Amino acid sequence: MEIRPAATLALTRDTADGLEVLLLQRTWDAVFLPGFHVFPGGAVDAADNQCRDFMEGHDDTTASAMLNLDHGGAGYLVAAIRECFEEAGILLAVDADDRPVRPDRTAVFRDREAVSRGELSVAGLCERHHLKLPLDRLAYLSHWITPPGPPRRFDTRFFVAAAPAGQVPGHDGVETIDHVWLSPKQALEDHRTGRRLYGAPTLRTLRVLAGFDNTEALIAHTHAQPPEPFPSEPWPALDRGDQPRQLEPGAPAYDEVRKLDPQRSGSARAAITPGLAVTLAPGVQRLTAPNPGAMTGPGTNSYILGHGGRFTVIDPGPADERHIAALLALTGSRIERILVTHTHRDHSPAAGALREATGAELMGMPAPDEPSQDRNFTPDRTLAHGEVLDTGAGRLKVIHTPGHASNHLCYLLEPEQMLFSGDHIMQGSTVVINPPDGDMGAYLRSLADLLQEDIRYIAPGHGFIMANAHAVIDYLTSHRLAREHKVVEALRHHGPARLADLTPKVYDDVSAALHGVASRSLLAHLIKLEEDGRARLRGEHWQLSDSTPA
């Protein structure tokens, strides 16, 4: 799939209550991010690179240097200005006296539709109305490449600029159906409550903006702290047969291979092999159990922290004799502690045999009284949220993350900023939230809490290490809230309805073979909506509550 260059512009204004940013709501008919609130932006057009005679503050050489490109940098800046004009009706241009375009220059703004239809280029607009494009008034904020999966992928540069005084935004009624000025903190709160939907890069930008009281401070910081380039180049690795291959960004093993092989020697493996120990960081190894499957991926990951005679094992895995023997061999049976993230049967059952062989202390939370739980697990010590353990690899913080399971814990290895996430965050898929012990509201709150932690890498219970931890969390949150919106719309158009009848409506993008599992997460969404006062159950039929907005 082609990855198209694109540009996005966060327009800000200063108010008595602080900084606000302009957000547009995309049409619900959009192929990409339907109904989401976004900043003005879109793909770079060929004509955006043909504005040389109308640019000020940057030429293509300096713009490209700012964006870490060989050429074509000015096109991104021009595209940001053009898309803002098309989608929001705001034009960042100046007249012959270097003054922003006044709103009473109606002839300029009448040409908005011609620019939107491609009948008039930005260069043509500038020539017709004697305008210049002050490219230096756009500050380069961040870089994002859409991961594999969506129907369209973009290589997007995010910019920020002050909105021109006097100009009033207006959504175009085609690609965008609403617009709003919000403080970044209010926008984030609307996301948390599900009132508005945002994509991961929008959320990341809002968090940056939330740290500033005014546009001047934001722009000054952005100029002083240029963003790191987003990973965009293939990385050499070894496949399962030790054959060399090139991993593209977004491949499951890409982040891990980049971390383990920063020199690009091609020595890191792009496949997880059960029983083969992999060193992930100083004093951190992963050993994967031989229990691959639809729900476990390549198998359950056990993590071994420490070296010499002092080891801590996180998630010993299933009661598989081969895996238990491998853990004992890897540690020389010198295990001090055994921690579990939760007590589902692919994570904790080996704890008993390891404890018997080593005398290690079992730590975690007791198993809930449910058939899917390993009720043989009884911790010697029940861990508390916020507790810190001293391990051979450094300080390990305990974080209670209910949602997938009420007793779920994550562990943050502070020196490495590495989160051992168990099944709270899995690589390559979303987790099943299965009531009554699974709780969608608690899951979303737990994800929000993790955003307050200093996390760089996520080491999941299944799959490879993931980088850009906060972006991963943002994606999962946005995915769940987008699904929640589908639940509300299904209830609006098909309710009252039974769970079985709602499932194919809400999960029409999922194979029917998985609808049995999906129905459990749907039930979790419905229970959350009921707790929020937005849905109710009458007999076997779910419906919207009277207070749910249209």
Side-chain angles (χ1 to χ4, degrees), residues 25-312:
Q25 185 180 20
R26 292 177 59 80
T27 172
W28 288 106
D29 295 326
V31 174
F32 187 65
L33 299 179
F36 277 57
H37 279 75
V38 298
F39 305 118
V44 178
D45 291 342
D48 295 329
N49 288 294
Q50 299 170 4
C51 294
R52 180 185 310 170
D53 295 337
F54 305 99
M55 300 187 311
E56 289 186 345
H58 277 297
D59 58 19
D60 190 65
T61 300
T62 59
S64 298
M66 179 176 68
L67 304 185
N68 293 303
L69 295 170
D70 293 332
H71 56 81
Y76 283 89
L77 292 158
V78 174
I81 293 174
R82 175 182 53 75
E83 288 286 346
C84 186
F85 186 46
E86 292 179 9
E87 295 184 349
I90 299 289
L91 180 61
L92 272 74
V94 295
D95 60 20
D97 296 321
D98 203 37
R99 295 175 302 189
V101 178
R102 299 189 313 273
D104 60 2
R105 292 191 63 179
T106 56
V108 175
F109 294 96
R110 278 199 301 267
D111 279 337
R112 174 185 176 186
E113 288 192 15
V115 174
S116 298
R117 293 193 297 265
E119 298 168 358
L120 181 65
S121 68
V122 176
L125 178 75
C126 290
E127 183 176 23
R128 177 179 294 179
H129 299 287
H130 309 291
L131 302 176
K132 295 282 188 178
L133 305 176
L135 302 188
D136 57 336
R137 298 188 188 182
L138 280 67
Y140 179 33
L141 191 62
S142 63
H143 182 197
W144 176 268
I145 298 177
T146 313
R152 295 177 181 173
R153 298 185 65 194
F154 297 95
D155 180 347
T156 307
R157 311 293 172 137
F158 282 72
F159 303 95
V160 62
Q167 293 190 31
V168 178
H171 53 276
D172 62 15
V174 180
E175 293 186 14
T176 57
I177 57 175
D178 197 7
H179 69 275
V180 63
W181 287 100
L182 290 175
S183 72
K185 290 180 181 178
Q186 182 60 54
L188 290 169
E189 176 62 17
D190 289 349
H191 164 73
R192 188 190 67 78
T193 61
R195 183 181 179 189
R196 303 182 201 276
L197 300 174
Y198 306 106
T202 304
L203 287 168
R204 183 176 65 172
T205 302
L206 287 170
R207 289 200 184 89
V208 173
L209 270 54
F212 297 91
D213 296 326
N214 57 70
T215 300
E216 183 180 2
L218 169 63
I219 298 292
H221 170 82
T222 304
H223 284 315
Q225 301 286 336
E228 295 183 5
F230 197 85
S232 59
E233 55 185 336
W235 214 263
L238 295 174
D239 65 15
R240 194 176 298 278
D242 286 344
Q243 295 299 310
R245 59 173 295 191
Q246 293 289 318
L247 288 183
E248 295 294 328
Y254 186 83
D255 290 345
E256 179 168 312
V257 166
R258 274 192 57 141
K259 181 185 189 304
L260 302 188
D261 182 23
Q263 303 303 319
R264 301 174 58 90
S265 68
S267 59
R269 297 181 180 276
I272 290 178
T273 302
L276 180 65
V278 178
T279 299
L280 303 175
V284 180
Q285 296 181 80
R286 180 185 66 218
L287 188 70
T288 303
N291 64 330
M295 303 302 292
T296 57
T300 301
N301 291 331
S302 297
Y303 294 98
I304 301 94
L305 277 56
H307 44 77
R310 192 174 175 219
F311 292 100
T312 296

